[in-house]
Amino acid sequence: MIKINNIKLNLNYNESDILSVIYKNLRVKSINSYKILKESLDSRHHEDIHYQLSVGVFVDNESKIMKSVNNKNIMLTKEVKYTFPHILNTEIREALDEMPEFRPVIIGAGPAGYHAAIKLCQAGFRPIVIERGKAVEDRARDVDQFWENGKLKLDSNVCFGEGGAGTFSDGKLNTGNKDKGGYFKEVLETFVRYGADESVAYKAKPHIGTDVLRSIMTNMRHDIERLGGEVRFENKLIDLEYETYINTFGYESELPIYKLKLESPGGTYDILTHSVILAIGHSARDTYEMLYNRSLNFSPKPFAVGVRVEHKSEMINKAMYGEDYKERSGDALPTADYKLVYHTEKDRSVFSFCMCPGGYVVNSSTEEGETVINGMSYSGRAGENSNSAIVVSITPEDYNGSVDKPLEGIYYQKALEKKAFNEAEGGIPVQLYKDLKEDRSTTELGEIMPEIKGKWTFANLRNVFPEYITDSILESMEYFGTRINGYDRDDTVMSAVESRTSSPVRIDRGEDMMALNFPGIVPTGEGAGYAGGITSAAADGIKAAEAVATYITDDLIRCYIDYESSKYL
């Protein structure tokens, strides 16, 4: 493949524009095919907003063509494709079918859990996915009812259910990490295979939107089932034990077999399994406590808490594209996004998080008497407002977290969420920026009308946060106003509390991805403390599938060989 970088194209470019660049640069009249590798919007200079592309070209005689090209932006390269390292052959698959305890169990049907399940299914391992919440169709109805009447369902809400918390979000798929091994690329291409627009695979800042994500999750589930896997909704992991076990071949395994106790609408029951992927999500606090009581190693970790801020989408568009962007570009530009970072005088980081262009603030609560919020956008990002979390860094020192007390971050989050609930009498507390500065409850809005899913009421957010968080937010907002014109306007709408930015704990694991002292158990994704968003969680899920496949295959082959050998003794 010949790669051409730094292709500059206008906002309304089409295929003929790309081909023209290819033919001119490679000095050819025809090619076999091409694919867009990366597309980013360059809006640094408002008078010259354009797209920057990298394109991969497939053509005969590549080496010969390259000899006539002298351009540092053009190079010969190999297309890297991800390959799952373990595909079961027929003989081993048949042996697996004789030993149900070798079917891997995945706890959680979010990005990490489903991507792990897809890979294991494709390789022949027939995993069982356990999800405490409902299928996305039923879950969406429960969420809509909660936003309308405030009646929370503890296991079917914005955080629990098929697709995880990301299903009711903007569906951002970008990540700041380097893609070693091609995992992120594989995640994006997997989403495309199950219904995302093909541009997701190459945009610099890809997003899907909550509406499209829901159909993608359904498509993934159907494929898991088609390939021999199983998804059990409204089944909740409530306990975990391990023991030695005599397998189907009559041999005592050298490795533990885990007994999972599950709670379902029909009652409790047990599953015996050789391996478990813990893709539990960042809000499964009761599961954290159960696992901690079962002696899994936990560590406290930093996270961030703060508010959601809302501005008119049009204001953000003008700030990012220029006052006259519509005259210059018409409707060719997407709803603008932004990223902001600030370090306070007391050395705290304050930053924008999960920015939702043309989106909504949503009530994401999971527990009675506590309020937590998040941002959500549909695929069109056509809402009146754009919102983002503005969050302050929190370290274990802030909540007395330690190796001996690793769950203290959870209790810190819960305390803030209870204050938010009480301040808003069960809803979402809302305050204008001017009133936060002047320490008074808001009584009326300005030009910005809140775009909020769920009950909200005027409040004073100083009653929710400790002083160091409030002061950090106020200090950062002044700075952000110098970066985006109007960002610190008096009628900026703020709501609370944004507290589930990431897991406050990490379930410790070794280089083999297994939980320390628990071979066969693989903590993965955002809930385990190893990811920070949909893409990184899904990629970690694929790595978890690899680890489990290696673990099962090694032990399965050993048992099978022992069994076959015993026939001739």
Side-chain angles (χ1 to χ4, degrees), residues 89-121:
N89 60 38
T90 302
E91 190 175 46
I92 297 298
R93 187 175 299 187
E94 289 174 354
L96 182 64
D97 289 341
E98 295 183 45
M99 295 192 292
E101 69 274 12
F102 273 78
R103 288 185 73 179
V105 176
I106 300 170
I107 308 298
Y114 262 15
H115 280 260
I118 286 290
K119 287 295 178 284
L120 288 171
C121 281

Side-chain angles (χ1 to χ4, degrees), residues 120-132:
L120 288 171
C121 281
Q122 291 171 343
F125 287 91
R126 300 173 56 240
I128 301 170
V129 180
I130 302 296
E131 170 54 53
R132 69 194 294 168

Side-chain angles (χ1 to χ4, degrees), residues 114 133-145 156 160-163 167-168 210-211 213-222 225 231 233:
Y114 262 15
K134 296 181 181 180
V136 72
E137 308 95 321
D138 299 326
R139 178 189 180 197
R141 285 191 287 270
D142 290 340
V143 169
D144 286 339
Q145 289 176 11
S156 182
F160 294 142
E162 186 175 34
T167 303
F168 294 91
T210 179
D211 46 341
L213 264 170
R214 298 177 199 186
S215 63
I216 289 172
M217 291 300 109
T218 303
N219 293 339
M220 292 184 79
R221 180 214 317 158
H222 290 163
E225 293 169 338
V231 183
F233 293 113

Side-chain angles (χ1 to χ4, degrees), residues 72-103:
K72 65 180 180 180
N73 290 316
I74 302 176
M75 62 201 73
L76 195 61
T77 185
K78 288 186 178 180
E79 188 176 17
V80 178
K81 289 195 174 183
Y82 172 83
T83 302
F84 192 73
H86 297 282
I87 306 296
L88 294 180
N89 60 38
T90 302
E91 190 175 46
I92 297 298
R93 187 175 299 187
E94 289 174 354
L96 182 64
D97 289 341
E98 295 183 45
M99 295 192 292
E101 69 274 12
F102 273 78
R103 288 185 73 179

